[in-house]
Amino acid sequence: MTKTFYRWRYGLMAIALSSAIKLPAQAVQAPDGTVSFESGLLLLDAYTTFSGVRVRQARYYFDLELPDDIGEPLQEVVIQQRSGGDEIKFKPEETEVYLGSHRDKAERIQAIAKTDEATEKITVQFNQPIPPGNSITIGLKPRSNPDFGGVYLFGVTAYPRGDKARGMYLGAGRLHFDSNDSDPF
């Protein structure tokens, strides 16, 4: 057999082996040191425990999935109201974060939440970055549900670990609030 045949055969074997062996993904790092995720995270669901207007006991959950191949742990999530008939104010000190979804909460994750008064963005920073391969749910506590019913959208952006992290916009969580026509207000 010729040398060309062996090179071709070994080349095919190398391709086959490289597709069979799954190497861990690495985060993308730009020349300036900016870090970003290798692949996309997912915003799976947005859910409110109470959908009536003016309800004070509600909590809003945002379920995220961190696939194995994102390359870098999740350090923080920023949530900002994008639309709706009323501006919703939050109690960041009552934010809760869990592994799992809002329907299947597991271990609680320590996090600090802050509201930027100028932009009304809520930043949830995890005490320990969340490794790839997990699902989490972030529970925000509003002061109350909005005064006006309708659809409210909340933009969700995830940031990897790092001093110069580039955020990845995951989409908008959609919550619908029902008006009660018999309400005198």
Side-chain angles (χ1 to χ4, degrees):
M1 300 209 175
T2 66
K3 289 182 183 179
T4 306
F5 172 78
Y6 285 111
R7 286 183 188 149
W8 180 78
R9 185 171 137 190
Y10 290 123
L12 283 178
M13 287 173 48
I15 291 169
L17 283 174
S18 67
S19 64
I21 299 171
K22 190 169 184 179
L23 299 173
Q26 300 297 315
V28 176
Q29 186 166 7
D32 69 353
T34 303
V35 177
S36 59
F37 293 112
E38 179 73 18
S39 66
L41 287 78
L42 302 169
L43 172 61
L44 298 177
D45 195 10
Y47 173 79
T48 180
T49 54
F50 293 97
S51 62
V53 295
R54 298 182 196 92
V55 175
R56 295 191 183 279
Q57 300 85 353
R59 190 169 291 275
Y60 306 163
Y61 289 103
F62 297 87
D63 294 344
L64 309 179
E65 183 178 324
L66 291 64
D68 289 327
D69 61 353
I70 60 173
E72 194 65 34
L74 175 66
Q75 182 63 62
E76 72 180 31
V77 173
V78 175
I79 300 172
Q80 183 177 20
Q81 183 179 338
R82 301 275 176 153
S83 69
D86 193 9
E87 186 177 317
I88 299 173
K89 301 283 187 184
F90 291 93
K91 298 178 179 180
E93 67 280 2
E94 293 188 37
T95 298
E96 298 175 347
V97 181
Y98 296 92
L99 289 176
S101 71
H102 70 273
R103 290 188 173 106
D104 187 26
K105 294 182 202 123
E107 177 184 344
R108 187 162 183 175
I109 297 171
Q110 296 299 311
I112 297 170
K114 298 176 185 170
T115 302
D116 180 323
E117 297 299 325
T119 63
E120 295 298 322
K121 290 181 183 179
I122 300 162
T123 301
V124 181
Q125 187 167 44
F126 310 111
N127 291 2
Q128 297 294 320
I130 312 300
N134 285 292
S135 293
I136 65 166
T137 188
I138 299 171
L140 300 179
K141 178 72 174 117
R143 295 190 187 285
S144 73
N145 279 353
D147 288 336
F148 306 105
V151 174
Y152 288 70
L153 299 178
F154 297 86
V156 180
T157 306
Y159 290 85
R161 172 180 57 187
D163 294 331
K164 293 180 79 175
R166 177 174 291 131
M168 176 180 283
Y169 183 68
L170 307 183
R174 182 179 189 266
L175 299 177
H176 184 266
F177 298 98
D178 298 319
S179 295
N180 182 352
D181 293 335
S182 64
D183 191 359
F185 296 103

